[in-house]
Amino acid sequence: MKNIFRCYTNFSNAVKATVWFIICSILQKGIQLLTVPMFTRLMTTDQYGQFNLYQSWLGIITIFGTLNLFAGVFNNGMLKYEHDRDRYTSATQGLSSLAALVVVMAYLIAPNVWSAVLGLPHIVIISMLVEIFFLPALQYWMMRQRFEYHYRALVMLTIFTAVVNPLLGLVAVQASSEKGVARILSVSLLNAVIGIFFYVLNFYRGRRFFHAAYWKFALAFNLPLIPHYLAQFVLGQSDRIMIEKFSGMTKLAIYGLAYSIGLIMTIVTNSINYSFIPWTYQACKMQQYDRLKKCSMLLVLLVAFVSLVPVLMAPEIICIMGPPEYSEAVYVIPPIALSGYLIFVYSLFANIEFYFEQNRFVMLGSCAAAVLNVVLNLIFMPRFGYIAAAYTTVACYFILAVAHYLLMRRILKNAGISESLYHISLIIIITAVLVVMLVLCVEMYPYPLIRYGMIFMILLVCFAKKNTLLEMINRQHNKEENV
């Protein structure tokens, strides 16, 4: 423990921020998972399925209501306008507010059509729109904290929301007969209240709603990416909407529970990637490609290990998280975990595409994978049931990773960069080994001693190599101030 603490004190701000972002993500998701058994037992499968349906529609409407301006373009803006970040943040928030107002007007014109298409009551849709209007303000603040490695305030806010969100949800569900609606409103209104605070804060600091140059930059960068973000939604969320249509709310609830558990590692890897993006940009700016290559391989190995843990513990986790009718969800977790790993891998390549502002290439790859996902779901879900959706998604993420790698190579070639930014051969080997291990995990579900023996071995290796790993990570980051 002393060695770990000593290594931590020597860490740069970038490494400390990454570590704390990961810890917070695990804590946030862990608290959510601890309360899942309560919700699955307090709510019927139809009510729990309604909550999952809301989350899916929230994802797609958020794209139109915010233009996803807190995503790729915001990091580029932090780098491009590093001496005017307050005004850039404020003006970007003004632009996303305008987009949200357009979506609100569209709902007011035909509210009944919206309710029929979304399959949700009006009160839920209204709360969704309020959340979409204010929540981007929180996202802008969080992305800037990550970019500047200011982790303390973000850590405290994350812990606060991680605790209050499920507690408020439990109170609302127990107090209402419409438990699905109550769970939705508890999440939506809490996010909106927090968003309002940062909405005012961002405008107070930047004091600018409109800025022609910043709006032009943001629209030119992100509008071509709207198909990409929609494609990401199709890959990540459309399977749940299609399951509801093909198999009903009960199967959607089972899939949703497995999705929540399988995405533990996705939450972790997203935190790693968000912290890694500004470091990647700085490394590319200073042409420190060798450091980028070494650090990225450490992260790929870490993500591969994280992917195995929820799969190895899947039968026990499902048993704890839901009543017996959720038991078949155990077979959905492995492909979902593999999808999370592949998302991280293709994000490494996409980060380079974003850095060089080659957005149209990102869009083409994502759209092709999304169309393929829908087609495969239409073919295989009627034949093999809702579980097929998880495996078709894996296939599409694999194709997407390959496509982004090829696009990245083309961009680097056009930029006159001959050096490889990642150890591709090692990534391929790690991916192949992970696939084999996940298949073996499914076969070993009836043998808990073997599965927990594997978990013990993974933890033992990590513990034995902890000092080496910590020193390597710090050595790769301890000079980022000079990058």
Side-chain angles (χ1 to χ4, degrees):
M1 289 299 296
K2 291 182 179 179
N3 290 336
I4 295 176
F5 180 77
R6 185 167 58 250
C7 286
Y8 174 80
T9 56
N10 293 328
F11 278 168
S12 64
N13 285 335
V15 179
K16 289 180 180 178
T18 301
V19 169
W20 278 108
F21 293 153
I22 294 172
I23 291 174
C24 281
S25 296
I26 295 174
L27 179 63
Q28 184 180 41
K29 194 62 178 179
I31 293 175
Q32 290 178 4
L33 286 175
L34 287 174
T35 59
V36 165
M38 304 178 191
F39 286 116
T40 55
R41 287 167 172 83
L42 288 172
M43 303 163 66
T44 66
T45 52
D46 282 351
Q47 291 168 341
Y48 194 70
Q50 184 183 40
F51 177 64
N52 280 276
L53 183 63
Y54 167 82
Q55 291 179 311
S56 297
W57 280 118
L58 175 65
I60 189 170
I61 297 174
T62 296
I63 296 173
F64 294 102
T66 67
L67 303 179
N68 266 27
L69 294 174
F70 48 79
V73 67
F74 193 76
N75 282 316
N76 286 66
M78 289 290 97
L79 191 63
K80 187 179 182 71
Y81 306 111
E82 59 181 330
H83 300 299
D84 195 21
R85 288 176 176 173
D86 286 336
R87 285 205 304 170
Y88 174 76
T89 301
S90 178
T92 305
Q93 180 173 285
L95 181 56
S96 63
S97 298
L98 181 61
L101 286 174
V102 172
V103 173
V104 170
M105 292 300 297
Y107 168 75
L108 294 177
I109 292 173
N112 292 331
V113 174
W114 277 63
S115 182
V117 172
L118 272 59
L120 297 169
H122 291 293
I123 188 173
V124 169
I125 298 175
I126 292 171
S127 68
M128 178 193 296
L129 296 177
V130 172
E131 180 179 1
I132 288 172
F133 189 90
F134 289 109
L135 193 58
L138 172 61
Q139 297 293 337
Y140 296 133
W141 180 82
M142 292 175 65
M143 293 302 293
R144 182 167 176 179
Q145 298 300 300
R146 292 179 185 275
F147 196 92
E148 297 176 345
Y149 306 124
H150 297 159
Y151 57 89
R152 291 181 177 85
L154 181 55
V155 167
M156 290 188 290
L157 178 63
T158 301
I159 294 174
F160 171 78
T161 55
V163 173
V164 174
N165 189 317
L167 289 178
L168 185 62
L170 287 171
V171 172
V173 167
Q174 289 181 317
S176 175
S177 58
E178 294 290 336
K179 299 184 183 301
V181 173
R183 179 67 182 117
I184 293 168
L185 293 180
S186 67
V187 174
S188 181
L189 294 179
L190 176 63
N191 289 337
V193 170
I194 296 174
I196 290 172
F197 173 80
F198 288 100
Y199 191 86
V200 175
L201 178 65
N202 291 338
F203 275 136
Y204 175 78
R205 288 178 173 174
R207 302 180 185 275
R208 182 63 66 91
F209 182 90
F210 172 77
H211 190 290
Y214 296 165
W215 279 33
K216 181 180 179 181
F217 169 73
L219 291 173
F221 190 101
N222 249 45
L223 281 182
L225 285 174
I226 295 300
H228 162 70
Y229 294 129
L230 289 172
Q232 283 187 318
F233 165 80
V234 171
L235 285 170
Q237 303 289 335
S238 66
D239 48 3
R240 288 192 262 188
I241 294 176
M242 296 181 73
I243 287 170
E244 190 271 331
K245 301 300 181 184
F246 279 106
S247 305
M249 282 289 192
T250 297
K251 296 298 184 183
L252 173 59
I254 296 173
Y255 188 88
L257 177 61
Y259 201 88
S260 298
I261 296 170
L263 283 181
I264 295 174
M265 56 84 54
T266 301
I267 300 297
V268 175
T269 55
N270 282 344
S271 295
I272 295 173
N273 187 49
Y274 288 146
S275 301
F276 193 55
I277 287 174
W279 193 88
T280 299
Y281 282 15
Q282 296 287 350
C284 289
K285 181 179 180 181
M286 300 302 295
Q287 300 182 5
Q288 298 285 344
Y289 304 131
D290 187 60
R291 295 178 61 226
L292 177 60
K293 183 185 299 184
K294 292 178 181 178
C295 190
S296 63
M297 283 312 305
L298 289 174
L299 296 180
V300 170
L301 280 170
L302 175 63
V303 171
F305 277 123
V306 173
S307 303
L308 279 174
V309 176
V311 179
L312 287 168
M313 301 177 63
E316 291 75 25
I317 294 175
I318 292 295
C319 182
I320 295 171
M321 294 299 167
E325 54 263 34
Y326 286 87
S327 60
E328 63 188 59
V330 71
Y331 297 105
V332 184
I333 294 178
I336 291 177
L338 182 56
S339 293
Y341 167 82
L342 292 173
I343 289 172
F344 179 77
V345 171
Y346 94 69
S347 295
L348 293 177
F349 309 141
N351 290 341
I352 305 301
E353 299 166 38
F354 282 130
Y355 173 77
F356 286 99
E357 299 185 9
Q358 298 296 321
N359 303 353
R360 64 183 184 279
F361 295 123
V362 178
M363 175 194 68
L364 291 174
S366 300
C367 289
V371 172
L372 179 63
N373 182 249
V374 173
V375 172
L376 291 178
N377 281 340
L378 291 173
I379 294 174
F380 291 106
M381 284 181 62
R383 297 182 183 181
F384 301 103
Y386 72 98
I387 294 179
Y391 289 91
T392 59
T393 302
V394 167
C396 292
Y397 276 129
F398 176 79
I399 294 172
L400 187 60
V402 174
H404 277 294
Y405 168 68
L406 296 175
L407 291 170
M408 181 194 70
R409 286 189 58 184
R410 178 177 177 180
I411 291 170
L412 292 177
K413 181 179 179 181
N414 293 337
I417 300 174
S418 58
E419 186 174 352
S420 175
L421 271 59
Y422 302 109
H423 284 295
I424 300 303
S425 58
L426 289 179
I427 292 177
I428 293 173
I429 292 172
I430 293 171
T431 303
V433 172
L434 179 60
V435 170
V436 172
M437 292 298 295
L438 290 176
V439 172
L440 291 176
C441 288
V442 175
E443 296 299 323
M444 289 186 295
Y445 276 164
Y447 310 104
L449 290 179
I450 297 178
R451 288 187 285 106
Y452 279 89
M454 292 179 63
I455 295 175
F456 177 76
M457 291 300 296
I458 291 174
L459 295 176
L460 187 64
V461 170
C462 293
F463 181 78
K465 299 293 184 180
K466 65 181 185 304
N467 291 334
T468 302
L469 291 172
L470 290 171
E471 289 172 3
M472 288 178 65
I473 293 171
N474 195 43
R475 189 163 59 249
Q476 292 302 317
H477 286 81
N478 62 8
K479 294 182 181 180
E480 97 276 340
E481 293 91 352
N482 300 322
V483 177

